[in-house]
Amino acid sequence: MTRSRKIFAWTGAILVLLIAILIIVIATFDWNRIKPTLNEKVSEALHRPFAINGNLAVNWSREPEEGGWRAWIPWPRMSAEDITLGNPEWSKTPQMVTLKRIEFRLSPLPLLTQTISIPRIDLTEPDAKLERLADGRANWVFDFPKSDPNAEPSKWVMDIGSIKFDKGLVGYNDQKLNTQIDVVIDPLGKPIPFSDIVGSGEAKKVQDKGASAQDYAFGFTAKGQYHGQKLNGSGKVGGLLALKDAALPFPVQADVSAGKTRVAVAGTVTDPQNLGELDLRLKLSGDSLGNLYPLTGVTLPDSPPYSTDGRLIAHLHDAAGASFKYQGFNGKIGDSDIHGDLSFVASQPRPKLTGALVSNQLLMADLKPLIGADSNAEQKSRGGASKQPADKVLPVEEFKTDRWSAMDADVELTGKKIVQSADLPFSDLYTHVVLDNGQLSLEPLRFGVAGGKLDADIRLNGRVQPLEGRAKLSARNFKLKQLFPTFEPMKTSFGELNGDADISGRGNSVAALLGSSNGELKMLVNDGAVSRSLMEIAGLNVGNYVVGRLFGDKDVKINCAATSLGIKDGLATTKLSVFDTENAIIYIDGTANLKTEQLDMKITPESKGFRVFSLRSPLYVRGAFAKPSAGVESGPLLLRGAGMVLLGATVGPAAALLALVAPSSGDQNQCAPLLEQMRSGKAPKTVK
């Protein structure tokens, strides 16, 4: 053997020996010797006390799953026992996290490309206590030193495949959100197949995506409070948390109650490391949709008790903001059915809710909470704070305008059929609701009523306090025989009701808005009828008295009823109010105070022809809206035509009311002659 060959052989032998010695040293090294140094360095880096109190070991073994020549390369399997991570100094509890054991494998070859690849981490009995103070300090936020902004980012990449965990505890105490929750996680006695919880149909949808959801392996219970409301819940989760592999969606099932709101979900979480995507069947129920705001931050109106069932798909890292889609949901709000799709995007400057809702059978009573018109008992059951006084008719419950600036909205609602008693002839509903930076509009709000349409444009400006509101209403072609379908004399009538209103005001409730309102109201009715029985149908005791005093018990034909009201600072005053009947012309003068809810009306009849009209004095209607009283004025009736105190004052209102006389199939509108006379400054003819 030549000298060079001997040197090469000896060098090779020494190198092999050194590698062997290194392997033996690494394999037999007592890693517990470096624990003090390791604990010190980690504590220094985290600015928290960190300690591995138990055994620290590294074992080497081949990875048979690798295959080929890679299967011959040993992987280090690292484990540590009894690990603790302390809290910052301000916390009253010493430990933030404790672990009975942690174990993971490190793939050595990716280290050559500056990648730390850990296929799986196994955690045994984790116990985490998360805490945030009212001033915003949180123990999950670490005080790392600020890095040099000009420094190049590290080229090293951390790649963690999945986390497998054992029985554990998680505590969450958030003073800022008034939330304190304790979660206990326990292994199930036997894994439950994903399809057993979500159903075979939902499981197939996951498979159609090329994924395979794990079995449910752990159960959990949760107790405490969320936003000050008592919380209880339970559920099931998978045992292997796939952090990045979309083909291994993590199964979740939970049934949680916060206060009187209940949330039930079942489905999967994909890319849980970043909470990338949720695909869940979501059931929601509670006493009022408005109660979801403190729990979710989504501004919804007050409502009767509700329940919904649909599919929630969330993409939490969309460029425009986290997006949530509640698709194809069905449910009930009160006794009305509800269906549709809603989307919520956490966009800037404000989140936005969009969607379309449909109700096949909508009850008018279920709309009352929108304006606080439901009863005190119903308000109390949905958590309402206001109490409607017994002597007040207009709703006093205030709008929650502080919530209107929390988000924007663009939602359409269609009520295909409105279900109610026979004496409320609403047939259908459509509205387009837009909430934009604290301004709420319903444009249009459209009802089908008695064969006609009630169109309204409503705007409420919640940016100012008290809020500013304006409502424009137009009633067209209400058929009288459909308005009063059970009143026999009206069944052959071709008459209609038409009207307009334009009212604005300031206030945080319906009562306050109307009590400060300004505007006008006009209404025409032609070819109608009136009787005491009609007043009984309408539930108007005072009307029953007035009609009885005027006409006795007989049905009386109304040729025309015309009313024009001016409203200033909540006081509605009659500009012109006249009823032309077959027996008399009735004038109504007076005021309705919307602020104090007081009526002060005078009713003056003028007889037609030679028929002896029994009433010799005017009538009055006075008192509170809730309980008005009626009677006979003490003075005698004035001379004929004197009901129009100032004829000149009726010229303008009469001309405005003529605009409501709409042409209808060639039939003459009986209001036109009456209003033409008044527009000319003449007293209506009382003798045919």
Side-chain angles (χ1 to χ4, degrees):
M1 182 181 292
T2 64
R3 180 179 179 83
S4 59
R5 288 185 177 180
K6 289 182 179 180
I7 294 174
F8 181 77
W10 278 102
T11 302
I14 292 172
L15 182 60
V16 171
L17 180 61
L18 289 174
I19 293 174
I21 293 172
L22 179 62
I23 292 174
I24 293 172
V25 169
I26 292 175
T28 60
F29 181 73
D30 185 2
W31 292 89
N32 290 298
R33 295 181 180 181
I34 69 168
K35 280 197 308 182
T37 303
L38 180 62
N39 292 342
E40 180 182 351
K41 294 297 182 182
V42 175
S43 298
E44 183 179 333
L46 299 179
H47 296 276
R48 303 275 185 89
F50 171 85
I52 300 175
N53 302 300
N55 186 47
L56 176 63
V58 178
N59 298 312
W60 294 78
S61 61
R62 290 188 299 158
E63 192 70 19
E65 295 180 2
E66 284 294 291
W69 60 270
R70 290 182 175 84
W72 293 93
I73 299 175
W75 287 28
R77 184 184 296 270
M78 304 176 185
S79 63
E81 298 177 351
D82 191 10
I83 303 157
T84 58
L85 174 61
N87 265 316
E89 294 179 355
W90 50 260
S91 177
K92 295 181 180 179
T93 55
Q95 307 298 343
M96 175 184 172
V97 176
T98 62
L99 271 174
K100 184 176 182 180
R101 179 182 174 86
I102 181 172
E103 183 176 339
F104 62 89
R105 296 167 298 150
L106 177 65
S107 179
L109 291 179
L111 294 173
L112 300 175
T113 59
Q114 295 182 306
T115 299
I116 301 174
S117 177
I118 301 175
R120 195 174 84 183
I121 299 176
D122 294 338
L123 305 177
T124 303
E125 295 187 17
D127 187 347
K129 297 288 188 295
L130 305 179
E131 182 180 2
R132 181 165 67 170
L133 301 182
D135 60 14
R137 286 179 293 172
N139 69 346
W140 60 83
V141 177
F142 291 86
D143 185 20
F144 293 118
K146 293 183 178 179
S147 59
D148 183 359
N150 299 319
E152 293 186 6
S154 173
K155 296 181 180 179
W156 285 87
V157 177
M158 176 72 77
D159 180 14
I160 300 176
S162 61
I163 295 178
K164 184 179 181 181
F165 54 91
D166 197 352
K167 176 181 179 180
L169 304 172
V170 178
Y172 179 62
N173 188 355
D174 194 328
Q175 296 179 14
K176 196 170 184 178
L177 298 179
N178 192 19
T179 296
Q180 187 274 318
I181 303 173
D182 291 315
V183 180
V184 179
I185 304 172
D186 279 311
L188 296 172
K190 180 181 179 182
I192 300 175
F194 180 68
S195 59
D196 285 5
I197 300 295
V198 302
S200 56
E202 292 298 319
K204 187 176 184 303
K205 291 179 182 178
V206 175
Q207 293 175 352
D208 291 342
K209 294 180 180 179
S212 178
Q214 311 164 40
D215 292 342
Y216 291 93
F218 287 88
F220 71 86
T221 58
K223 292 184 178 180
Q225 67 175 26
Y226 183 66
H227 285 272
Q229 299 186 40
K230 184 178 179 181
L231 180 142
N232 282 288
S234 62
K236 303 174 185 64
V237 294
L240 189 66
L241 192 59
L243 295 183
K244 292 184 178 180
D245 190 351
L248 289 174
F250 186 69
V252 175
Q253 181 270 327
D255 191 338
V256 180
S257 296
K260 294 184 178 180
T261 301
R262 181 180 176 185
V263 181
V265 297
T268 60
V269 180
T270 303
D271 188 12
Q273 181 182 22
N274 300 305
L275 282 179
E277 180 179 326
L278 306 177
D279 188 347
L280 306 168
R281 181 180 180 182
L282 170 62
K283 295 182 179 180
L284 272 174
S285 60
D287 283 351
S288 172
L289 289 168
N291 293 339
L292 287 173
Y293 178 78
L295 302 176
T296 65
V298 179
T299 302
L300 295 172
D302 288 321
S303 74
Y306 69 92
S307 62
T308 65
D309 184 354
R311 185 181 184 190
L312 177 68
I313 297 178
H315 299 277
L316 304 181
H317 296 286
D318 283 355
S323 66
F324 302 82
K325 294 182 179 180
Y326 196 26
Q327 297 180 339
F329 68 84
N330 300 294
K332 295 189 72 175
I333 299 177
D335 291 319
S336 304
D337 66 291
I338 192 74
H339 317 272
D341 299 277
L342 289 172
S343 296
F344 183 84
V345 179
S347 54
Q348 295 296 328
R350 291 170 301 280
K352 187 169 185 178
L353 178 72
T354 59
L357 306 176
V358 175
S359 177
N360 294 315
Q361 296 196 51
L362 177 65
L363 271 71
M364 288 294 292
D366 294 332
L367 299 177
K368 288 183 178 180
L370 296 175
I371 58 171
D374 46 344
S375 68
N376 284 337
E378 290 168 330
Q379 288 185 24
K380 185 177 180 180
S381 69
R382 60 176 168 83
S386 298
K387 287 188 176 181
Q388 183 72 20
D391 60 344
K392 296 294 182 182
V393 173
L394 301 177
V396 301
E397 185 176 19
E398 294 192 348
F399 299 108
K400 299 180 177 68
T401 56
D402 56 317
R403 301 179 178 183
W404 293 5
S405 58
M407 56 168 262
D408 292 341
D410 189 330
V411 178
E412 294 179 273
L413 170 64
T414 301
K416 293 184 177 181
K417 181 181 180 182
I418 295 181
V419 182
Q420 72 289 305
S421 59
D423 32 316
L424 285 174
F426 290 90
S427 57
D428 56 83
L429 161 70
Y430 170 80
T431 188
H432 182 196
V433 181
V434 175
L435 181 61
D436 182 13
N437 193 20
Q439 290 186 318
L440 178 65
S441 65
L442 287 79
E443 295 182 335
L445 172 59
R446 179 177 298 134
F447 289 94
V449 184
K453 290 291 182 183
L454 175 61
D455 284 326
D457 287 339
I458 298 174
R459 289 190 176 188
L460 301 174
N461 184 2
R463 296 182 193 174
V464 296
Q465 285 298 319
L467 73 84
E468 296 175 341
R470 183 172 185 179
K472 293 182 178 181
L473 298 93
S474 173
R476 291 293 182 271
N477 308 122
F478 290 10
K479 304 297 187 292
L480 297 183
K481 59 185 175 184
Q482 294 183 40
L483 273 174
F484 306 103
T486 60
F487 184 46
E488 193 66 32
M490 212 79 84
K491 290 183 178 181
T492 58
S493 170
F494 292 98
E496 293 184 349
L497 180 151
N498 293 279
D500 285 330
D502 188 347
I503 304 172
S504 60
R506 296 194 67 172
N508 291 332
S509 67
V510 172
L513 282 167
L514 292 176
S516 65
S517 60
N518 297 283
E520 60 179 357
L521 182 147
K522 297 173 291 185
M523 185 179 70
L524 275 185
V525 176
N526 72 288
D527 189 19
V530 69
S531 73
R532 296 183 68 177
S533 63
L534 178 61
M535 296 298 102
E536 291 174 1
I537 291 172
L540 300 175
N541 294 329
V542 168
N544 191 344
Y545 171 83
V546 170
V547 171
R549 295 293 299 181
L550 290 172
F551 308 114
D553 293 328
K554 296 182 179 181
D555 299 331
V556 177
K557 177 178 172 59
I558 295 178
N559 301 316
C560 175
T563 297
S564 176
L565 299 177
I567 307 171
K568 185 175 182 180
D569 195 24
L571 185 66
T573 305
T574 56
K575 295 180 180 179
L576 170 64
S577 187
V578 59
F579 283 66
D580 179 17
T581 74
E582 60 183 341
N583 298 326
I585 292 181
I586 314 297
Y587 299 100
I588 300 175
D589 298 291
T591 61
N593 193 321
L594 302 175
K595 187 179 297 183
T596 61
E597 296 196 13
Q598 293 289 317
L599 284 170
D600 187 2
M601 294 289 182
K602 182 178 180 181
I603 303 167
T604 305
E606 290 189 4
S607 177
K608 285 185 175 181
F610 299 101
R611 180 184 182 276
V612 178
F613 199 70
S614 61
L615 191 63
R616 301 300 181 184
S617 298
L619 300 177
Y620 68 81
V621 176
R622 301 190 188 111
F625 289 2
K627 196 174 181 181
S629 60
V632 180
E633 291 277 10
S634 57
L637 285 175
L638 300 179
L639 297 176
R640 178 164 301 192
M644 297 172 61
V645 179
L646 292 173
L647 279 174
T650 68
V651 174
L657 284 165
L658 274 169
L660 295 177
V661 179
S664 56
S665 64
D667 295 325
Q668 183 180 4
N669 190 304
Q670 298 183 62
C671 284
L674 178 73
L675 296 174
E676 286 287 2
Q677 293 177 51
M678 291 186 168
R679 186 174 66 169
S680 302
K682 300 177 182 178
K685 295 179 180 179
T686 57
V687 180
K688 292 185 179 179

